[in-house]
């Protein structure tokens, strides 16, 4: 596998080098760039000379590796993620850092038998100040022996609204026994009605996708991936 992660457009390569040298004053482009950037990037002699960046040692190193004048698309083929970050084009292999369906998010992956405390602690922290929490998992009540721990361990014991797609109906009374101050009601927007994955949406801002369901936050006999993203 390549040791390089991705390729940058000329504009973003210049931005990265300015940032590295402490020369960036306007963060409007820097912030979205950093939200996508994975180190290290791959460049070549021609691209560096094109943006008038003179680093003799780096140029010699790239030249010795054969990275001299390839098109960016060809460079991208030699990277881990096969993409080029830019601000103009969205078609593959380009990723538009200001408007693209590809995102850089936080993820936690647990294999069979691995402890999930890190995911539980993270989700607990994300829920701590919530006013509305939407839970979507069609099998939530079927796996109540494990999933009840979601309310016992993660949801804060304070006044807030728990939304669901009717699949918590059979356990509302038991959930209320855990904490009577929660309001539990159906999601009138039906945001995830046709979804296959399991979701947790916190204040309509933080979305968590649980690959194999809420049950496997607490049971370890299946693998689990938690993807955390800002909406």
């Amino acid at each position: 596998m390549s040791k390089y992660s991705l390729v940058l457009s000329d504009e973003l390569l210049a931005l990265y080098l300015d940032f590295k040298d402490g020369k960036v004053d306007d963060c409007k482009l820097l912030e979205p760039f950093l939200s996508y950037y994975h180190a290290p990037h791959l460049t070549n002699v021609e691209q560096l000379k094109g943006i008038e960046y003179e680093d003799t040692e780096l140029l010699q190193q790239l030249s010795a590796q054969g990275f001299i004048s390839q098109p960016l698309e060809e460079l991208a083929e030699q990277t881990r993620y096969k993409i080029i970050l830019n601000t103009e084009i969205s078609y593959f292999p380009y990723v538009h850092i200001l408007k693209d369906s590809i995102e850089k998010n936080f993820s936690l992956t647990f294999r069979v038998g691995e402890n999930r405390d890190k995911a539980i602690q993270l989700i607990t922290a994300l829920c701590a100040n919530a006013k509305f929490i939407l839970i979507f998992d069609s099998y939530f009540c079927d796996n109540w022996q494990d999933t009840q721990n979601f309310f016992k361990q993660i949801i804060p014991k304070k006044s807030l609204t728990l939304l669901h797609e009717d699949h918590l109906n059979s356990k509302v009374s038991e959930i209320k026994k855990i904490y009577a101050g929660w309001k539990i009601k159906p999601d009138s927007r039906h945001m995830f009605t046709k979804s296959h994955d399991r979701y947790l949406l916190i204040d309509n801002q933080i979305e968590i996708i649980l690959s194999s369901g809420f049950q496997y936050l607490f049971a370890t006999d299946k693998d689990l991936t938690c993807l955390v993203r800002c909406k």
Side-chain angles (χ1 to χ4, degrees):
M1 180 180 290
S2 174
K3 67 178 182 179
Y4 297 103
S5 293
L6 42 72
V7 171
L8 306 176
S9 67
D10 291 359
E11 176 190 20
L12 295 183
L13 179 59
L15 176 69
Y16 170 83
L17 294 170
D18 283 346
F19 171 67
K20 187 178 177 182
D21 293 337
K23 298 178 181 178
V24 177
D25 296 321
D26 187 351
C27 293
K28 290 181 180 178
L29 187 57
L30 179 63
E31 290 177 359
F33 166 68
L34 291 177
S35 74
Y36 276 94
Y37 181 71
H38 286 263
H41 61 269
L42 178 59
T43 182
N44 62 19
V45 172
E46 184 174 276
Q47 187 181 30
L48 287 173
K49 287 186 175 180
I51 63 171
E52 299 181 349
Y53 185 78
E54 296 294 336
D55 182 326
T56 302
E57 183 178 350
L58 178 56
L59 292 171
Q60 290 176 346
Q61 177 184 343
L62 290 169
S63 182
Q65 293 177 336
F67 298 125
I68 300 172
S69 59
Q70 300 94 332
L72 296 187
E73 294 86 349
E74 188 175 327
L75 281 181
E77 292 175 359
Q78 301 184 58
T79 66
R80 188 177 302 132
Y81 297 114
K82 318 296 184 187
I83 60 175
I84 304 165
L85 300 185
N86 81 115
T87 62
E88 297 179 352
I89 307 171
S90 293
Y91 60 79
F92 186 81
Y94 292 90
V95 172
H96 195 310
I97 67 168
L98 301 177
K99 53 174 184 179
D100 208 292
S101 58
I102 294 178
E103 300 174 338
K104 181 180 176 183
N105 299 308
F106 289 104
S107 65
L108 300 86
T109 298
F110 304 92
R111 302 304 180 193
V112 172
E114 289 186 336
N115 182 285
R116 284 90 201 271
D117 284 353
K118 188 80 169 188
I120 293 171
Q121 292 164 357
L122 174 60
I123 297 173
T124 299
L126 292 172
C127 290
N129 298 312
K131 296 180 180 178
F132 296 88
I133 297 177
L134 194 162
I135 300 164
F136 181 84
D137 183 342
S138 299
Y139 301 98
F140 197 100
C141 291
D142 295 340
N143 301 308
W144 184 247
Q145 183 175 349
D146 294 311
T147 55
Q148 63 181 303
N149 291 310
F150 181 75
F151 300 103
K152 292 179 177 179
Q153 297 183 33
I154 292 178
I155 301 297
K157 308 299 189 294
K158 66 169 193 173
S159 178
L160 59 82
T161 300
L162 300 174
L163 302 171
H164 63 102
E165 193 65 45
D166 291 332
H167 53 265
L168 296 184
N169 286 341
S170 66
K171 297 296 181 183
V172 168
S173 61
E174 293 187 54
I175 295 170
K176 282 285 202 174
K177 288 178 183 178
I178 296 172
Y179 185 73
W182 293 328
K183 293 180 181 179
I184 304 172
K185 60 183 185 180
D187 173 33
S188 60
R189 294 180 297 172
H190 304 290
M191 292 187 62
F192 300 112
T193 301
K194 297 181 179 180
S195 298
H196 170 74
D197 291 321
R198 286 76 164 185
Y199 291 88
L200 184 70
L201 183 60
I202 304 167
D203 287 337
N204 203 35
Q205 296 178 346
I206 300 292
E207 182 179 272
I208 301 172
I209 303 173
L210 300 163
S211 63
S212 51
F214 285 77
Q215 176 185 11
Y216 296 103
L217 280 170
F218 310 98
T220 63
D221 51 317
K222 283 190 179 180
D223 55 351
L224 172 71
T225 294
C226 300
L227 180 69
V228 182
R229 61 185 293 265
C230 285
K231 283 182 63 67

